[in-house]
Amino acid sequence: MDDPLLKVLLVEDDEDDYILTREFLAEIRGSNFELEWVEDYDAGLEAIHKDQHHVYLVDYRLGKNNGLDLLRAAIARGCQAPIILLTGLGDHKVESEAMRCGAADYLVKGQFDAQLLERSIRHSILRKRAERDLHQQLTRISLLNQITHAISERMDLESVLNVVLGQLEIHLPVEYGTVYLFDTQAAILSQAAARLKSQSPTAHMISLDEIAVPLSETGLEACLKGELLYEPEMVKTEAPLLRKLVQPGMGSAVVVPMMAEKNLFGILITARARANGFSIGECEFLRTLCEHVALAAHQARLHTQLQSAYDELRQTQQAVMQHERLRALGQMASGIAHDINNALSPVSGFAELLLRNEKNLTEAACRYLNHIKTASDDVAHIVTRMRDFYRKREEHQPLLPVNLNQLAQQVIELTRPRWRDISQQRGVSVEVKPDFDPHLPEIIGTESELREALTNLIFNAIDAMPRGGIITLRTRVGAWAYMRGGARTPSHVALEVIDTGVGMDEETRKHCLEPFFSTKGQLGTGLGLAMVYGVVQRHDGGIEINSAPGKGTTMRLIFPVREAPATETVEGPAAAEPVAPMRILFIDDEPLLRELVKEILECDGHQVQIADSGQSGLDAFRAANKQGKPFDAVITDLGMPHLDGRQLAQILKRESPSTPVIMMTGWATLMKGEEDLPLHVDGVLNKPPKITELQETLRRVSQRRNGGVAP
Ligand code: ADP
Ligand code: MG
């Protein structure tokens, strides 16, 4: 079999030597040399530069220049083919200088024959080739190093992929590179990054048109098994995804799977304009590269997932902490309110008793007593508001459909004096603009509460705009629920109060919902938003606050859209009728309250025995039964040390099921999650009891006891 054609150029000024060389080459059996000859330095340099030969034979003596100069010049100009230097004399200095300058070999004229020449030529070519391979390999290793280093510093998938494609484009180099990520569950490839060389930076957008394709439609299914795919001639490809690259001018392509934990994570496609554009070495390089990229990309994805899980957790935690803080503060406020209320109720109670029953009061005394009563009722009212920060929804709170658009319009009207007065008095203008969604679904709630909350928000907005501005009241569907088949239905509505005022800094925004937090000094109470928060909580809603100093504030209340509960028939209060005198046992650990209730009951003609604890109450109850003079009714406080009202009621009902037991509860206890009524009681009274409520409850239990109509 003939060897492949080897083109040889001889640069030699002596024709005899040319002839000799020609004869040597012809002598070699089976080989296939094509010898070309040029006579001088310049012609030699020009011919070498054309790069059309496999090997150059250069004579040392070349007129005014010598062969070493030519060797240096050729290599400086990028000559890759081997150059063998020929000399007439064996000079070691010249020899070592030649080798130092990059000569492939050095032959002394007259000392070599055909065989030696052939060996020298062949070895030079092989050595050069090996050198070049090694060099390429080293370049690739350093590129691999460079890329893995660059991606190891990145934590997000997108920049990892962009770094890889960018480096491949510049250093491998390739004309086109893209990465598709694989969705295992849906078996879909989606393009995550792409680069097309020598186009504007936005060029890759063009190739991003095919965002997602099922793997089964790409013709690249072998990637699932981790197989690399080399397509040397794109015009012949059968893979639809690769065929798309023919039109932009790609001649060959390599498809490399990226595997993470034995599963296909994605694929890298690189392409070159020329056919047969990739060597085996390059394919191997791409495969190794993809192992690294897959690992980095996989980790980047895990990192992103972890990060978002962490963010979510932190947000939840913050929300929970905020909620807990508000709860604690609200409970504290409610607790204080409760104590004040208890301390206050004898004041108004006794004043009322005096006014009712004392016949010989002077006119002035009556007036003073009325003042006392009014003043203490006012305090009670303020305290009630404090209590409302963190009250759970009470049983009797009416839950009805509420149209937030109507409600907001109402509140605009109601608050008009406040925002219009401002503009008139201070010469500034505050405008309130409705922006309602006409298709807003109704929510279920308590109108009065919602109205008060919205009023508070508007007042705050006015306060935030001392130089005037615009308040927008906006209603929108806040979120949708998607049903099977794609139809959607509103799941939440949002009510927004947007002002163009001073806004809040981070610190204020964090604390503004807390009771007693105010930045308004004497002018503020810090109760407004705490109240709003309570209302929203009771409606199972949420509050979002967007605000920044100087940028205005958006307060967004979000409420769930729900079905109205079955409407309960609410009974109107029955007219108070006198009740036949009864023997009543009243148990409470607060002396003043004991005194008050005793007075009230005795005024109605009842006979009252009091006890100051659960145990002493129980003792009195048992003693009365023993004597054959049982009580007609027992009224007991709920919260007492040792034996509390709940336990007491249980015992009483066990020992005497027919004796009515009425429980008095304060709201502090309601808040501890004990809102379920204690079993075994016939009536519940709020503390402190109003005279009429007390009468009404007694009437009801005695009626029931005497076989009257149950309510
Ligand atoms: P008050 O109005 O009595 O200060 P609030 O509970 O209503 O109490 O509000 C608490 C604080 O939140 C205010 O003092 C104010 O700093 C801030 N704030 C509330 N609403 C706004 C708003 N619309 N713009 C700027 N700051 C606000
Ligand atoms: Mg306020």
Side-chain angles (χ1 to χ4, degrees):
M1 204 177 67
D2 277 0
D3 281 356
L5 177 73
L6 285 179
K7 292 183 171 185
V8 182
L9 178 77
L10 176 67
V11 188
E12 170 67 79
D13 57 355
D14 186 336
E15 185 167 9
D16 288 346
D17 283 340
Y18 159 62
I19 293 167
L20 187 65
T21 308
R22 195 182 59 195
E23 276 167 9
F24 274 161
L25 291 180
E27 229 174 80
I28 296 157
R29 259 199 300 161
S31 62
N32 193 359
F33 289 102
E34 181 186 290
L35 183 65
E36 206 181 314
W37 173 43
V38 293
E39 267 180 289
D40 61 20
Y41 179 94
D42 292 330
L45 194 57
E46 194 180 326
I48 292 174
H49 189 58
K50 282 188 189 144
D51 190 22
Q52 287 167 342
H53 302 84
H54 292 104
V55 65
Y56 302 102
L57 305 176
V58 175
D59 187 20
Y60 182 72
R61 249 183 324 112
L62 284 175
K64 61 183 187 306
N65 298 97
N66 66 31
L68 268 181
D69 296 332
L70 181 58
L71 176 71
R72 287 196 195 97
I75 286 177
R77 283 180 172 207
C79 171
Q80 294 283 334
I83 299 175
I84 299 169
L85 200 69
L86 311 171
T87 69
L89 40 128
D91 181 340
H92 280 298
K93 252 204 223 143
V94 176
E95 179 179 351
S96 60
E97 179 63 11
M99 299 314 275
R100 215 178 54 76
C101 291
D105 203 357
Y106 176 88
L107 296 174
V108 181
K109 287 183 182 170
Q111 291 185 9
F112 66 88
D113 56 6
Q115 260 172 3
L116 195 60
L117 179 62
E118 190 218 358
R119 249 201 20 226
S120 174
I121 289 176
R122 284 197 194 287
H123 283 188
S124 296
I125 291 173
L126 286 178
R127 207 165 40 236
K128 263 289 171 198
R129 208 173 277 164
E131 263 172 33
R132 202 178 51 221
D133 285 354
L134 188 66
H135 177 72
Q136 278 176 357
Q137 227 167 334
L138 282 174
T139 319
R140 278 183 225 126
I141 288 172
S142 103
L143 178 58
L144 188 65
N145 242 330
Q146 204 172 321
I147 296 179
T148 47
H149 185 73
I151 58 181
S152 72
E153 288 170 351
R154 268 148 243 264
M155 273 309 174
D156 67 306
L157 190 56
E158 196 184 334
S159 74
V160 164
L161 299 182
N162 279 321
V163 164
V164 172
L165 294 181
Q167 296 271 351
L168 290 181
E169 180 186 302
I170 298 166
H171 296 293
L172 196 51
V174 295
E175 268 93 37
Y176 175 78
T178 182
V179 174
Y180 285 82
L181 295 180
F182 184 59
D183 177 341
T184 317
Q185 240 141 54
I188 279 178
L189 284 175
S190 345
Q191 198 166 37
R195 284 178 85 103
L196 190 55
K197 202 176 185 170
S198 72
Q199 287 201 13
S200 69
T202 53
H204 71 276
M205 303 299 284
I206 306 164
S207 48
L208 266 172
D209 58 347
E210 194 83 16
I211 295 286
V213 265
L215 180 65
S216 56
E217 291 171 19
T218 59
L220 306 177
E221 292 88 324
C223 287
L224 266 183
K225 287 179 271 171
E227 286 174 21
L228 179 144
L229 203 123
Y230 175 37
E231 184 52 78
E233 289 177 80
M234 293 290 269
V235 281
K236 293 188 189 159
T237 186
E238 292 189 350
L241 198 65
L242 293 185
R243 222 176 289 142
K244 289 184 192 305
L245 298 179
V246 175
Q247 207 273 325
M250 295 302 134
S252 53
V254 185
V255 182
V256 198
M258 299 195 288
M259 312 295 283
E261 291 170 350
K262 297 218 174 85
N263 297 315
L264 185 63
F265 179 85
I267 59 170
L268 167 76
I269 303 178
T270 54
R272 280 179 170 147
R274 73 194 134 92
N276 297 304
F278 292 85
S279 68
I280 294 176
E282 283 173 324
C283 289
E284 273 317 303
F285 162 75
L286 288 170
R287 182 198 287 286
T288 313
L289 174 69
C290 278
E291 282 168 16
H292 290 272
V293 176
L295 204 66
H298 183 58
Q299 263 167 11
R301 187 185 263 183
L302 286 181
H303 183 262
T304 312
Q305 283 167 354
L306 201 66
Q307 186 71 42
S308 68
Y310 173 72
D311 286 347
E312 207 169 292
L313 192 69
R314 202 178 43 191
Q315 269 175 14
T316 314
Q317 194 189 19
Q318 268 174 5
V320 169
M321 271 164 53
Q322 162 89 338
H323 183 80
E324 278 310 303
R325 199 170 56 221
L326 289 173
R327 217 167 93 96
L329 279 164
Q331 282 188 355
M332 216 167 69
S334 294
I336 296 170
H338 174 247
D339 290 348
I340 295 177
N341 205 42
N342 272 348
L344 196 68
S345 47
V347 178
S348 69
F350 282 118
E352 198 178 342
L353 267 183
L354 281 175
L355 282 165
R356 266 182 188 228
N357 302 329
E358 218 40 56
K359 305 287 180 279
N360 304 323
L361 287 177
T362 63
E363 200 191 311
C366 269
R367 208 168 56 240
Y368 297 160
L369 280 172
N370 265 318
H371 287 333
I372 293 175
K373 195 169 168 340
T374 312
S376 59
D377 283 350
D378 282 352
V379 176
H381 186 71
I382 296 171
V383 164
T384 306
R385 285 196 28 192
M386 225 158 106
R387 178 194 73 175
D388 281 347
F389 303 145
Y390 207 87
R391 171 165 57 84
K392 291 207 171 161
R393 186 163 57 233
E394 284 168 19
E395 293 292 319
H396 60 264
Q397 186 172 334
L399 281 182
L400 296 168
V402 179
N403 180 328
L404 284 179
N405 289 348
Q406 271 171 21
L407 185 122
Q409 189 58 48
Q410 251 178 18
V411 174
I412 294 180
E413 302 306 330
L414 284 172
T415 54
R416 190 185 300 277
R418 171 86 193 263
W419 46 270
R420 213 188 22 209
D421 286 355
I422 296 263
S423 60
Q424 283 168 359
Q425 284 168 14
R426 296 205 208 142
V428 296
S429 113
V430 172
E431 211 184 313
V432 179
K433 278 192 183 164
D435 174 9
F436 300 155
D437 179 348
H439 306 296
L440 196 76
E442 291 182 330
I443 64 163
I444 300 304
T446 307
E447 247 184 70
S448 57
E449 286 208 329
L450 293 167
R451 211 170 5 226
E452 199 178 342
L454 188 54
T455 306
N456 270 309
L457 294 182
I458 292 181
F459 285 174
N460 278 347
I462 296 170
D463 290 344
M465 303 192 299
R467 274 178 276 148
I470 297 171
I471 302 173
T472 310
L473 253 63
R474 190 162 177 266
T475 60
R476 284 289 179 272
V477 169
W480 299 88
Y482 288 85
M483 295 175 300
R484 223 171 270 220
R488 58 180 200 168
T489 172
S491 70
H492 287 81
V493 296
L495 171 61
E496 295 174 351
V497 178
I498 306 160
D499 68 54
T500 55
V502 295
M504 292 184 241
D505 58 21
E506 182 65 20
E507 218 31 46
T508 307
R509 199 179 53 74
K510 262 195 208 150
H511 296 288
C512 67
L513 298 179
E514 294 169 6
F516 309 117
F517 177 88
S518 175
T519 55
K520 297 175 190 166
Q522 292 286 312
L523 296 174
T525 59
L527 300 184
L529 291 183
M531 180 266 168
V532 173
Y533 179 79
V535 170
V536 170
Q537 287 287 306
R538 286 194 286 281
H539 285 79
D540 298 323
I543 300 185
E544 286 175 13
I545 303 172
N546 290 335
S547 189
K551 294 270 155 61
T553 299
T554 297
M555 304 288 298
R556 182 179 302 115
L557 310 187
I558 297 168
F559 300 104
V561 176
R562 279 186 300 218
E563 295 273 313
T567 44
E568 299 156 31
T569 46
V570 183
E571 255 182 69
E577 287 169 32
V579 190
M582 298 200 263
R583 266 173 56 77
I584 299 172
L585 172 61
F586 176 59
I587 308 155
D588 198 313
D589 56 344
E590 287 169 54
L592 272 175
L593 204 72
R594 237 169 18 230
E595 204 58 37
L596 173 65
V597 172
K598 183 170 186 284
E599 285 292 330
I600 294 174
L601 294 172
E602 283 179 352
C603 283
D604 282 352
H606 302 296
Q607 201 186 329
V608 182
Q609 185 169 344
I610 51 179
D612 60 3
S613 71
Q615 189 55 56
S616 62
L618 183 59
D619 293 344
F621 182 80
R622 285 176 175 162
N625 281 352
K626 220 177 224 167
Q627 289 167 11
K629 283 198 240 159
F631 291 105
D632 298 317
V634 178
I635 304 175
T636 175
D637 187 19
L638 171 61
M640 291 182 296
H642 311 303
L643 186 62
D644 73 10
R646 195 183 299 254
Q647 296 160 323
L648 179 64
Q650 206 168 344
I651 300 170
L652 295 184
K653 279 291 175 185
R654 201 165 53 221
E655 296 186 3
S656 171
S658 64
T659 307
V661 176
I662 297 166
M663 183 80 68
M664 284 201 335
T665 67
W667 9 259
T669 46
L670 274 179
M671 294 191 0
K672 290 178 197 150
E674 298 176 341
E675 64 267 54
D676 334 332
L677 290 187
L679 292 168
H680 318 295
V681 305
D682 301 86
V684 177
L685 279 173
N686 274 330
K687 220 174 155 182
K690 294 255 174 317
I691 293 179
T692 46
E693 283 173 16
L694 197 53
Q695 289 171 337
E696 166 61 19
T697 310
L698 280 175
R699 186 189 61 80
R700 198 157 42 83
V701 298
S702 72
Q703 251 179 12
R704 193 184 306 170
R705 193 173 184 223
N706 302 330
V709 256

